[in-house]
Amino acid sequence: MPTTTATAFWTLAPGRGALCEEPLPAPEEGEVRVRARYSGISRGTEALVFNGEVPPSEHQRMRAPFQAGDFPGPVKYGYASVGVVEDGPPALRGREVFCLHPHQDRYVVPADAVVPLPEALPAERAVLAANMETALNGVWDAAPRPGDRIAVVGAGVVGALVAHLCASLPGTRVELIDIDPGRAALARALGMAFRSPDAASGDADLVFHVSGAPQGLEHALTLAGFEATLVEMSWYGRQRVCLPLGEAFHARRLTLLSSQVGSVAPARRARWSHRRRLGLALELLADPCLDALIEAESPFADLPELMPRLARVRGALCHRLRYA
C-alpha cells in the first residue's frame, strides 16, 4: 500500500510545537516522493521562528521554500532535509538527496527541488548543506585574498564554516573567536586557531561577524584594521542593534557589508543559480572534520519536547534529527 499520510513538525504558537499528520499526495509527473533520513535544526533562525520573533516586515522574505502556514504560527518551517527518493523519475529513484524542506518524515516536491548527494558525502553530514551555502555566500561577498588576516567572531556552525573556507586560501591567518572557551576544541578539530575576544590579534584585513549578539558585532569593529571590511552575517529578528560608530569607525575608513543567503552574492549572480550554489555547498562538505559541527542527534519523534530547549540556547552547534 502506498503511503498516504506524512508527519510534520509545526510551530503552533510561539514556544509551542507539535507533530501533526497531514495528507501525502502521490507524486505527479516531474515530482518525487522523498523519505527523510535526517534533518538539521538551524539553531539561530529556527529559534527566532519558534519563539515568534520574526518581525512582521520580514514575514514574506523569511518564508522557507516549502513552508506551510504563516508567522508567528501555526507554521511548518525548516530547510535542511536529507532523504531517499522513493518514487519519481528513474534517474533519481533510490538516490540520497538534499532538499530545503521543513522537518517532515515524507514529502512530495518537484524533482528539481532535490539535489543528489555527492558520492563522498555521508547523508548524516549533508544536513549542514544550508549552513555551508550561507557560509559560501558570505565568503563570496567578502572576497578574501591569499595572505589575509581574517577574524571570524562567533564559533557557531556558520562561523566555523566561514573560517574553514577562508583557511583553505594560501597564506591566510584565520582566528575563530568566541566567548565560550569550549569552542577551542571545535577550532582544533577544524585545524585553526581559537581566540577569546580579549586575546584576538586585531588589525585584521577582513572580519566576519556571525555571533548573533550585538556585543559581538561591537567587538568585531575593534578587530578591523585600517580600511578593512567587516561582513555582518548575523540576523537579529526584532532585536535592535546599537554600534559605536562615533569612535574609530570613520577614522579607520571601515566598510560594513551585509551578507544574506537569500540572494546569490553580486559577483556570482550572473553565472550562479541558487541550485548551482547549493550543489557546490554539498561538495564542500566532503571533509570529515566537519562532523565536529554536529552537536547531538535525537529521534524526530522527540522534537516537540526538544525544540523549546534548543530554542533557548543561541549559538549552539547543529542538532541532527534522525527519522525512523
Side-chain angles (χ1 to χ4, degrees):
M1 287 287 292
T3 303
T4 58
T5 61
T7 303
F9 178 74
W10 284 73
T11 294
L12 303 178
R16 183 167 61 90
L19 296 180
C20 301
E21 194 171 272
E22 56 188 73
L24 181 68
E28 299 181 357
E29 185 175 354
E31 294 184 327
V32 292
R33 183 179 72 235
V34 178
R35 173 177 55 83
R37 292 191 61 203
Y38 302 97
S39 62
I41 297 174
S42 182
R43 298 286 283 271
T45 303
E46 291 198 53
L48 290 171
V49 171
F50 185 74
N51 291 327
E53 296 175 1
V54 178
S57 65
E58 301 304 303
H59 281 187
Q60 288 305 310
R61 277 191 288 263
M62 275 286 295
R63 291 191 68 86
F66 296 101
Q67 173 182 327
D70 296 298
F71 304 117
V75 63
K76 180 173 69 173
Y77 195 82
Y79 44 78
S81 179
V82 179
V84 177
V85 175
E86 291 187 317
D87 195 6
L92 287 173
R93 207 170 298 157
R95 293 288 303 273
E96 290 184 322
V97 296
F98 179 86
C99 185
L100 295 164
H101 199 281
H103 307 290
Q104 185 167 319
D105 61 355
R106 279 183 169 83
Y107 48 88
V108 173
V109 295
D112 61 6
V114 301
V115 181
L117 302 191
E119 289 186 9
L121 178 60
E124 295 89 339
R125 195 184 310 141
V127 298
L128 297 170
N131 300 122
M132 177 60 91
E133 186 183 13
T134 301
L136 174 62
N137 211 52
V139 172
W140 279 352
D141 276 323
R145 295 171 175 83
D148 275 354
R149 291 167 298 191
I150 300 172
V152 181
V153 179
V157 175
V158 174
L161 288 171
V162 166
H164 174 73
L165 292 176
C166 290
S168 67
L169 288 171
T172 54
R173 190 185 73 195
V174 179
E175 292 184 349
L176 188 58
I177 301 161
D178 203 278
I179 59 174
D180 180 3
R183 291 299 163 89
L186 172 62
R188 283 195 300 272
L190 298 178
M192 65 187 59
F194 174 82
R195 299 286 185 269
S196 62
D198 58 357
S201 298
D203 197 28
D205 299 295
L206 183 60
V207 182
F208 292 88
H209 176 244
V210 209
S211 81
Q215 299 90 337
L217 177 56
E218 185 173 343
H219 182 68
L221 283 171
T222 70
L223 301 177
F226 182 70
E227 294 189 340
T229 295
L230 191 161
V231 182
E232 173 57 284
M233 298 184 66
S234 295
W235 192 72
Y236 300 92
R238 297 176 184 271
Q239 187 177 15
R240 292 189 176 274
V241 178
C242 294
L243 291 178
L245 301 184
E247 297 182 7
F249 179 78
H250 291 290
R252 280 185 282 141
R253 297 176 55 83
L254 302 183
T255 297
L256 182 58
L257 178 67
S258 169
S259 180
Q260 201 273 341
V261 75
S263 298
V264 176
R268 299 291 187 275
R269 198 171 299 166
R271 300 170 303 282
W272 285 76
S273 65
H274 286 91
R275 182 180 176 86
R276 183 184 177 194
R277 185 181 64 185
L278 181 56
L280 176 58
L282 287 164
E283 292 177 17
L284 293 171
L285 288 172
D287 193 329
C289 77
L290 297 178
D291 286 333
L293 297 174
I294 307 294
E295 183 177 60
E297 181 180 284
S298 300
F300 172 57
D302 292 352
L303 190 52
E305 293 73 37
L306 178 68
M307 194 63 192
R309 299 199 301 272
L310 297 182
R312 286 195 294 268
V313 182
R314 303 294 174 91
L317 299 179
C318 177
H319 196 102
R320 185 170 59 209
L321 300 176
R322 180 182 67 255
Y323 294 74

Coordinates of all heavy atoms in Angstrom, one line a residue, residues 203-285:
D203 N 43.7 44.1 14.0 CA 44.4 44.6 12.8 C 44.1 43.7 11.6 O 45.0 43.5 10.8 CB 45.9 44.9 13.0 CG 46.5 45.8 11.9 OD1 45.7 46.6 11.3 OD2 47.7 45.6 11.6
A204 N 42.9 43.1 11.6 CA 42.6 42.2 10.5 C 42.3 42.8 9.2 O 41.8 44.0 9.1 CB 41.3 41.4 11.0
D205 N 42.6 42.1 8.1 CA 42.2 42.6 6.8 C 40.8 42.4 6.5 O 40.1 43.2 5.7 CB 43.0 41.8 5.7 CG 44.5 42.0 5.9 OD1 45.0 43.2 5.7 OD2 45.2 41.0 6.2
L206 N 40.2 41.4 7.2 CA 38.8 41.1 6.9 C 38.2 40.5 8.2 O 38.8 39.7 8.9 CB 38.7 40.0 5.8 CG 37.3 39.6 5.3 CD1 36.5 40.7 4.8 CD2 37.5 38.5 4.2
V207 N 37.0 40.9 8.6 CA 36.3 40.4 9.8 C 34.9 40.0 9.4 O 34.2 40.6 8.7 CB 36.2 41.5 10.9 CG1 35.6 41.0 12.1 CG2 37.6 42.1 11.2
F208 N 34.6 38.8 9.9 CA 33.2 38.3 9.7 C 32.6 38.3 11.1 O 33.2 37.8 12.1 CB 33.2 36.8 9.2 CG 33.7 36.6 7.8 CD1 35.0 36.4 7.5 CD2 32.8 36.6 6.8 CE1 35.5 36.3 6.2 CE2 33.2 36.4 5.5 CZ 34.5 36.3 5.2
H209 N 31.3 38.8 11.2 CA 30.6 38.7 12.5 C 29.5 37.7 12.3 O 28.6 37.9 11.4 CB 30.1 40.0 12.9 CG 29.3 39.9 14.2 ND1 27.9 40.1 14.3 CD2 29.6 39.4 15.4 CE1 27.5 39.8 15.5 NE2 28.5 39.4 16.2
V210 N 29.5 36.6 13.1 CA 28.5 35.6 12.9 C 27.9 35.1 14.3 O 27.4 34.0 14.4 CB 29.1 34.4 12.2 CG1 28.0 33.6 11.4 CG2 30.2 34.8 11.2
S211 N 28.1 36.0 15.3 CA 27.7 35.5 16.7 C 26.2 35.7 17.0 O 25.7 35.0 17.9 CB 28.5 36.3 17.7 OG 28.0 37.6 18.0
G212 N 25.5 36.5 16.3 CA 24.1 36.8 16.5 C 23.9 37.7 17.7 O 22.8 38.0 18.1
A213 N 25.0 38.2 18.3 CA 24.9 39.1 19.5 C 25.4 40.5 19.2 O 26.5 40.6 18.6 CB 25.6 38.5 20.7
P214 N 24.6 41.5 19.5 CA 25.1 42.9 19.3 C 26.5 43.2 19.8 O 27.3 43.9 19.2 CB 24.0 43.8 19.9 CG 22.8 42.9 19.9 CD 23.3 41.5 20.1
Q215 N 26.8 42.6 21.0 CA 28.1 42.8 21.6 C 29.2 42.2 20.8 O 30.3 42.8 20.7 CB 28.1 42.2 23.0 CG 27.1 42.8 24.0 CD 25.8 42.0 24.0 OE1 25.4 41.4 23.0 NE2 25.0 42.1 25.1
G216 N 28.9 41.1 20.1 CA 29.9 40.5 19.2 C 30.2 41.4 18.0 O 31.3 41.6 17.6
L217 N 29.2 42.1 17.5 CA 29.4 43.0 16.4 C 30.2 44.2 16.8 O 31.1 44.7 16.1 CB 28.0 43.4 15.8 CG 28.1 44.5 14.7 CD1 28.9 44.0 13.5 CD2 26.6 44.8 14.2
E218 N 29.9 44.7 18.0 CA 30.7 45.8 18.5 C 32.1 45.5 18.7 O 33.0 46.2 18.3 CB 30.1 46.3 19.9 CG 30.7 47.5 20.5 CD 30.0 48.0 21.7 OE1 28.9 47.6 21.9 OE2 30.6 48.8 22.5
H219 N 32.4 44.2 19.2 CA 33.8 43.8 19.3 C 34.4 43.6 18.0 O 35.6 43.9 17.8 CB 33.9 42.5 20.2 CG 35.3 42.0 20.4 ND1 36.2 42.7 21.2 CD2 35.9 41.0 19.9 CE1 37.3 42.1 21.2 NE2 37.2 41.0 20.4
A220 N 33.7 43.1 17.0 CA 34.2 42.8 15.7 C 34.7 44.1 15.1 O 35.8 44.1 14.4 CB 33.1 42.2 14.8
L221 N 34.1 45.2 15.3 CA 34.6 46.5 14.8 C 36.0 46.8 15.3 O 36.8 47.4 14.6 CB 33.6 47.6 15.2 CG 32.3 47.8 14.4 CD1 31.4 48.8 15.1 CD2 32.6 48.2 13.0
T222 N 36.3 46.4 16.5 CA 37.6 46.8 17.1 C 38.7 45.9 16.5 O 39.9 46.3 16.7 CB 37.6 46.6 18.6 OG1 37.5 45.2 18.9 CG2 36.4 47.3 19.3
L223 N 38.4 44.8 15.8 CA 39.4 43.9 15.3 C 39.8 44.3 13.9 O 40.7 43.8 13.3 CB 38.8 42.5 15.3 CG 38.5 41.9 16.6 CD1 37.9 40.5 16.5 CD2 39.6 41.9 17.6
A224 N 39.0 45.2 13.2 CA 39.3 45.5 11.8 C 40.4 46.5 11.7 O 40.4 47.6 12.4 CB 38.0 46.1 11.2
G225 N 41.3 46.3 10.8 CA 42.4 47.2 10.5 C 42.0 48.3 9.7 O 40.8 48.5 9.3
F226 N 42.9 49.2 9.3 CA 42.7 50.4 8.5 C 42.1 50.0 7.2 O 42.7 49.1 6.5 CB 43.9 51.2 8.3 CG 43.8 52.5 7.5 CD1 43.1 53.5 8.1 CD2 44.3 52.6 6.3 CE1 42.9 54.7 7.4 CE2 44.1 53.7 5.5 CZ 43.4 54.8 6.1
E227 N 41.0 50.6 6.8 CA 40.3 50.3 5.5 C 39.9 48.9 5.3 O 39.8 48.4 4.2 CB 41.1 50.9 4.3 CG 41.2 52.4 4.3 CD 41.8 53.0 3.1 OE1 42.5 52.2 2.3 OE2 41.6 54.2 2.8
A228 N 39.7 48.1 6.4 CA 39.3 46.7 6.3 C 37.7 46.7 6.1 O 37.0 47.6 6.3 CB 39.7 46.0 7.6
T229 N 37.3 45.5 5.8 CA 35.8 45.2 5.7 C 35.4 44.3 6.8 O 36.0 43.3 7.1 CB 35.6 44.6 4.3 OG1 35.9 45.5 3.3 CG2 34.1 44.1 4.1
L230 N 34.2 44.6 7.3 CA 33.5 43.8 8.3 C 32.2 43.3 7.7 O 31.4 44.1 7.2 CB 33.2 44.6 9.6 CG 32.7 43.7 10.8 CD1 32.9 44.5 12.1 CD2 31.3 43.3 10.7
V231 N 32.1 42.0 7.5 CA 30.9 41.3 6.9 C 30.0 40.9 8.0 O 30.3 40.1 8.9 CB 31.3 40.1 6.1 CG1 30.1 39.5 5.4 CG2 32.4 40.6 5.0
E232 N 28.8 41.5 8.1 CA 27.8 41.2 9.1 C 26.9 40.0 8.5 O 26.2 40.2 7.5 CB 27.0 42.4 9.4 CG 25.8 42.1 10.3 CD 26.1 41.5 11.6 OE1 26.4 40.3 11.6 OE2 26.1 42.2 12.6
M233 N 27.0 38.9 9.2 CA 26.2 37.7 8.7 C 25.1 37.3 9.7 O 24.4 36.4 9.5 CB 27.1 36.5 8.5 CG 28.1 36.8 7.3 SD 29.1 35.4 6.9 CE 27.9 34.2 6.2
S234 N 25.0 38.0 10.9 CA 24.0 37.7 11.9 C 22.7 38.3 11.5 O 22.6 39.3 10.8 CB 24.4 38.2 13.2 OG 25.6 37.6 13.7
W235 N 21.6 37.7 12.0 CA 20.3 38.2 11.8 C 19.6 38.3 13.1 O 19.6 37.3 13.9 CB 19.5 37.3 10.8 CG 18.2 38.0 10.3 CD1 18.1 39.0 9.5 CD2 16.9 37.7 10.7 NE1 16.8 39.4 9.3 CE2 16.0 38.6 10.1 CE3 16.3 36.7 11.6 CZ2 14.6 38.5 10.2 CZ3 15.0 36.7 11.8 CH2 14.1 37.6 11.1
Y236 N 19.0 39.4 13.4 CA 18.6 39.7 14.8 C 17.1 39.7 15.1 O 16.7 39.9 16.2 CB 19.1 41.1 15.2 CG 20.6 41.2 15.2 CD1 21.3 41.7 14.0 CD2 21.5 40.8 16.2 CE1 22.7 41.8 13.9 CE2 22.8 40.9 16.2 CZ 23.4 41.4 15.0 OH 24.8 41.4 14.9
G237 N 16.3 39.4 14.0 CA 14.9 39.4 14.2 C 14.4 40.8 14.7 O 14.6 41.8 14.0
R238 N 13.7 40.8 15.8 CA 13.1 42.1 16.3 C 14.1 42.9 17.1 O 13.9 44.1 17.4 CB 11.9 41.8 17.2 CG 10.7 41.1 16.6 CD 9.7 40.8 17.6 NE 8.6 40.1 17.1 CZ 7.5 40.7 16.6 NH1 7.4 42.0 16.5 NH2 6.5 39.9 16.1
Q239 N 15.3 42.3 17.4 CA 16.2 43.0 18.3 C 16.9 44.2 17.6 O 17.4 44.1 16.5 CB 17.3 42.0 18.7 CG 18.3 42.5 19.8 CD 19.2 41.4 20.2 OE1 19.4 40.4 19.6 NE2 19.9 41.6 21.3
R240 N 17.0 45.3 18.3 CA 17.7 46.5 17.7 C 19.2 46.4 18.2 O 19.5 46.0 19.2 CB 17.0 47.8 18.2 CG 15.6 48.0 17.7 CD 15.1 49.4 18.0 NE 13.8 49.6 17.4 CZ 13.7 50.0 16.1 NH1 14.7 50.3 15.4 NH2 12.5 50.2 15.6
V241 N 20.0 47.0 17.3 CA 21.5 46.9 17.5 C 22.0 48.3 17.5 O 21.8 49.1 16.5 CB 22.1 46.1 16.4 CG1 23.7 46.0 16.6 CG2 21.6 44.6 16.4
C242 N 22.8 48.7 18.5 CA 23.4 50.0 18.6 C 24.9 49.8 18.4 O 25.5 48.8 19.0 CB 23.2 50.7 19.9 SG 21.4 51.1 20.1
L243 N 25.6 50.6 17.6 CA 27.0 50.5 17.3 C 27.7 51.8 17.7 O 27.2 52.8 17.4 CB 27.3 50.1 15.9 CG 26.8 48.7 15.4 CD1 27.1 48.6 13.9 CD2 27.6 47.7 16.2
P244 N 29.0 51.7 18.1 CA 29.8 52.9 18.5 C 30.4 53.4 17.2 O 31.7 53.4 17.1 CB 30.8 52.3 19.5 CG 31.0 50.9 19.0 CD 29.7 50.4 18.5
L245 N 29.7 53.9 16.3 CA 30.2 54.5 15.0 C 30.8 55.9 15.2 O 31.4 56.4 14.3 CB 29.1 54.5 14.0 CG 28.5 53.2 13.6 CD1 27.5 53.4 12.5 CD2 29.5 52.1 13.3
G246 N 30.7 56.4 16.4 CA 31.4 57.7 16.7 C 32.8 57.5 17.2 O 33.5 58.5 17.5
E247 N 33.3 56.3 17.3 CA 34.7 56.1 17.7 C 35.6 56.0 16.5 O 35.6 56.9 15.7 CB 34.7 54.8 18.6 CG 33.9 55.0 19.9 CD 33.9 53.8 20.8 OE1 34.7 52.9 20.6 OE2 33.2 53.8 21.8
A248 N 36.3 54.9 16.3 CA 37.3 54.8 15.2 C 36.7 54.4 13.9 O 37.5 54.2 12.9 CB 38.4 53.9 15.7
F249 N 35.4 54.2 13.8 CA 34.8 53.6 12.6 C 35.2 54.5 11.3 O 35.7 54.0 10.3 CB 33.3 53.6 12.7 CG 32.6 53.1 11.5 CD1 32.6 51.7 11.2 CD2 32.0 53.9 10.6 CE1 31.9 51.2 10.1 CE2 31.3 53.4 9.5 CZ 31.3 52.1 9.2
H250 N 35.0 55.8 11.4 CA 35.3 56.7 10.3 C 36.8 56.9 10.1 O 37.4 56.9 9.0 CB 34.6 58.0 10.5 CG 33.1 57.9 10.3 ND1 32.5 57.6 9.1 CD2 32.1 58.0 11.2 CE1 31.2 57.5 9.3 NE2 30.9 57.8 10.6
A251 N 37.5 57.0 11.3 CA 39.0 57.3 11.2 C 39.7 56.2 10.5 O 40.7 56.4 9.8 CB 39.6 57.6 12.6
R252 N 39.2 54.9 10.7 CA 39.9 53.8 10.1 C 39.2 53.4 8.7 O 39.6 52.5 8.1 CB 39.8 52.6 11.0 CG 40.9 52.6 12.1 CD 40.9 51.4 12.9 NE 39.8 51.4 13.9 CZ 39.1 50.3 14.3 NH1 39.3 49.2 13.7 NH2 38.1 50.4 15.2
R253 N 38.2 54.2 8.3 CA 37.6 54.1 7.0 C 37.1 52.6 6.8 O 37.4 52.0 5.8 CB 38.6 54.5 5.9 CG 39.0 56.0 5.9 CD 40.0 56.3 4.9 NE 39.5 55.9 3.5 CZ 38.7 56.7 2.8 NH1 38.3 57.9 3.2 NH2 38.3 56.3 1.6
L254 N 36.4 52.1 7.8 CA 35.9 50.7 7.7 C 34.7 50.6 6.8 O 33.9 51.5 6.6 CB 35.6 50.2 9.1 CG 36.7 50.3 10.1 CD1 36.2 49.7 11.5 CD2 37.9 49.6 9.7
T255 N 34.6 49.4 6.2 CA 33.4 49.1 5.4 C 32.6 48.1 6.1 O 33.1 47.0 6.5 CB 33.8 48.5 4.0 OG1 34.5 49.5 3.3 CG2 32.6 48.1 3.2
L256 N 31.3 48.3 6.3 CA 30.4 47.4 7.0 C 29.5 46.8 5.9 O 28.7 47.5 5.2 CB 29.5 48.1 8.0 CG 28.6 47.2 8.8 CD1 29.3 46.1 9.6 CD2 27.8 48.1 9.9
L257 N 29.6 45.5 5.6 CA 28.9 44.9 4.5 C 28.0 43.8 5.0 O 28.3 43.0 5.8 CB 30.0 44.2 3.6 CG 29.5 43.4 2.4 CD1 28.9 44.4 1.4 CD2 30.7 42.7 1.8
S258 N 26.7 43.8 4.4 CA 25.7 42.8 4.8 C 25.8 41.6 3.9 O 26.1 41.8 2.7 CB 24.3 43.5 4.6 OG 23.3 42.5 4.7
S259 N 25.7 40.4 4.4 CA 25.6 39.2 3.6 C 24.4 38.4 4.1 O 24.3 38.1 5.3 CB 26.9 38.4 3.8 OG 26.9 37.2 3.0
Q260 N 23.6 38.0 3.1 CA 22.4 37.2 3.4 C 22.2 36.2 2.3 O 22.4 36.5 1.1 CB 21.2 38.2 3.6 CG 20.0 37.6 4.3 CD 19.1 36.8 3.5 OE1 19.1 36.9 2.3 NE2 18.3 35.9 4.1
V261 N 21.8 35.0 2.7 CA 21.9 33.9 1.7 C 20.7 33.9 0.8 O 20.7 33.2 -0.2 CB 21.9 32.6 2.5 CG1 20.5 32.3 3.1 CG2 22.4 31.4 1.6
G262 N 19.7 34.8 1.0 CA 18.5 34.8 0.1 C 18.8 35.2 -1.3 O 18.1 34.9 -2.2
S263 N 19.9 35.9 -1.6 CA 20.4 36.2 -2.9 C 21.8 35.8 -3.1 O 22.6 35.9 -2.2 CB 20.3 37.8 -3.1 OG 19.0 38.2 -3.0
V264 N 22.1 35.3 -4.3 CA 23.5 34.9 -4.6 C 24.3 36.2 -4.6 O 23.9 37.2 -5.1 CB 23.5 34.2 -6.0 CG1 25.0 33.9 -6.4 CG2 22.7 32.9 -6.0
A265 N 25.5 36.1 -4.1 CA 26.4 37.3 -4.0 C 26.6 37.9 -5.4 O 26.7 37.3 -6.4 CB 27.8 36.8 -3.5
P266 N 26.6 39.3 -5.4 CA 26.5 40.0 -6.7 C 27.6 39.6 -7.7 O 27.4 39.5 -8.9 CB 26.7 41.5 -6.2 CG 26.2 41.5 -4.9 CD 26.5 40.2 -4.2
A267 N 28.8 39.3 -7.2 CA 29.9 39.0 -8.1 C 29.7 37.6 -8.8 O 30.4 37.3 -9.8 CB 31.2 38.9 -7.3
R268 N 28.8 36.8 -8.3 CA 28.5 35.5 -8.8 C 27.1 35.4 -9.5 O 26.8 34.4 -10.1 CB 28.6 34.4 -7.7 CG 30.0 34.3 -7.1 CD 31.0 33.7 -8.1 NE 32.3 33.4 -7.4 CZ 33.2 34.3 -7.2 NH1 33.0 35.6 -7.6 NH2 34.3 34.0 -6.6
R269 N 26.3 36.4 -9.2 CA 24.8 36.2 -9.5 C 24.6 36.0 -11.0 O 23.6 35.2 -11.4 CB 24.1 37.5 -9.1 CG 22.6 37.4 -9.0 CD 22.0 38.6 -8.3 NE 22.6 38.8 -7.0 CZ 22.5 40.0 -6.3 NH1 21.8 41.0 -6.8 NH2 23.0 40.0 -5.1
A270 N 25.3 36.6 -11.9 CA 25.1 36.4 -13.4 C 25.3 35.0 -13.8 O 24.7 34.6 -14.9 CB 25.9 37.4 -14.2
R271 N 26.1 34.2 -13.1 CA 26.5 32.9 -13.6 C 26.1 31.7 -12.7 O 26.1 30.6 -13.1 CB 28.0 32.8 -13.8 CG 28.6 33.8 -14.8 CD 30.1 33.9 -14.8 NE 30.6 34.2 -13.4 CZ 30.6 35.5 -12.9 NH1 30.1 36.5 -13.6 NH2 31.2 35.7 -11.7
W272 N 25.7 32.1 -11.4 CA 25.4 31.0 -10.5 C 23.9 31.1 -10.1 O 23.5 32.1 -9.5 CB 26.3 31.2 -9.2 CG 27.7 30.8 -9.4 CD1 28.7 31.4 -10.1 CD2 28.3 29.6 -8.9 NE1 29.8 30.7 -10.1 CE2 29.6 29.6 -9.4 CE3 27.8 28.5 -8.2 CZ2 30.5 28.5 -9.1 CZ3 28.7 27.4 -7.9 CH2 30.0 27.5 -8.3
S273 N 23.2 30.0 -10.2 CA 21.8 29.9 -9.7 C 21.9 29.5 -8.3 O 22.9 29.0 -7.8 CB 21.1 28.9 -10.5 OG 21.6 27.6 -10.4
H274 N 20.8 29.6 -7.5 CA 20.7 29.1 -6.2 C 21.1 27.6 -6.2 O 21.7 27.1 -5.3 CB 19.3 29.3 -5.6 CG 19.1 30.7 -5.2 ND1 18.5 31.6 -6.0 CD2 19.3 31.4 -4.1 CE1 18.4 32.8 -5.4 NE2 18.9 32.7 -4.2
R275 N 20.6 26.8 -7.2 CA 20.8 25.4 -7.2 C 22.2 25.1 -7.4 O 22.8 24.2 -6.8 CB 19.9 24.8 -8.3 CG 20.1 23.2 -8.4 CD 19.2 22.7 -9.5 NE 19.5 21.2 -9.7 CZ 18.8 20.3 -9.0 NH1 17.9 20.7 -8.1 NH2 19.1 19.0 -9.1
R276 N 22.9 25.8 -8.3 CA 24.3 25.6 -8.5 C 25.1 25.8 -7.3 O 26.1 25.1 -6.9 CB 24.8 26.4 -9.7 CG 26.3 26.2 -10.0 CD 26.8 27.1 -11.1 NE 28.2 26.9 -11.4 CZ 29.0 27.8 -12.1 NH1 28.4 28.9 -12.6 NH2 30.3 27.5 -12.3
R277 N 24.8 26.9 -6.6 CA 25.5 27.2 -5.3 C 25.2 26.2 -4.3 O 26.2 25.8 -3.6 CB 24.9 28.6 -4.8 CG 25.7 29.1 -3.5 CD 25.1 30.4 -3.1 NE 23.7 30.3 -2.6 CZ 22.9 31.3 -2.3 NH1 23.4 32.6 -2.3 NH2 21.7 31.1 -1.9
L278 N 24.0 25.6 -4.2 CA 23.7 24.6 -3.2 C 24.5 23.3 -3.6 O 25.0 22.6 -2.7 CB 22.2 24.3 -3.2 CG 21.8 23.2 -2.2 CD1 22.2 23.5 -0.8 CD2 20.2 23.1 -2.2
G279 N 24.6 23.0 -4.9 CA 25.4 21.8 -5.3 C 26.9 22.0 -4.8 O 27.5 21.0 -4.4
L280 N 27.4 23.2 -5.0 CA 28.8 23.4 -4.5 C 28.9 23.2 -3.0 O 29.9 22.7 -2.5 CB 29.3 24.7 -5.0 CG 30.7 25.1 -4.5 CD1 31.7 24.1 -5.0 CD2 31.1 26.5 -5.0
A281 N 27.9 23.8 -2.3 CA 27.9 23.6 -0.8 C 28.0 22.2 -0.4 O 28.7 21.8 0.5 CB 26.7 24.3 -0.2
L282 N 27.2 21.3 -1.1 CA 27.3 19.9 -0.8 C 28.7 19.3 -1.0 O 29.2 18.5 -0.2 CB 26.2 19.1 -1.6 CG 24.8 19.4 -1.1 CD1 23.8 18.9 -2.2 CD2 24.5 18.6 0.2
E283 N 29.3 19.7 -2.1 CA 30.6 19.2 -2.4 C 31.7 19.6 -1.4 O 32.6 18.9 -1.0 CB 31.1 19.7 -3.8 CG 30.3 19.1 -5.0 CD 30.8 19.7 -6.3 OE1 31.8 20.4 -6.3 OE2 30.0 19.6 -7.3
L284 N 31.5 20.8 -0.9 CA 32.4 21.4 0.1 C 32.3 20.7 1.5 O 33.1 21.0 2.4 CB 32.2 22.9 0.2 CG 32.6 23.7 -1.0 CD1 32.2 25.2 -0.8 CD2 34.1 23.6 -1.2
L285 N 31.3 19.9 1.7 CA 31.1 19.2 3.0 C 31.8 17.9 3.0 O 31.6 17.1 4.0 CB 29.6 19.0 3.2 CG 28.8 20.2 3.6 CD1 27.3 19.9 3.6 CD2 29.2 20.8 4.9

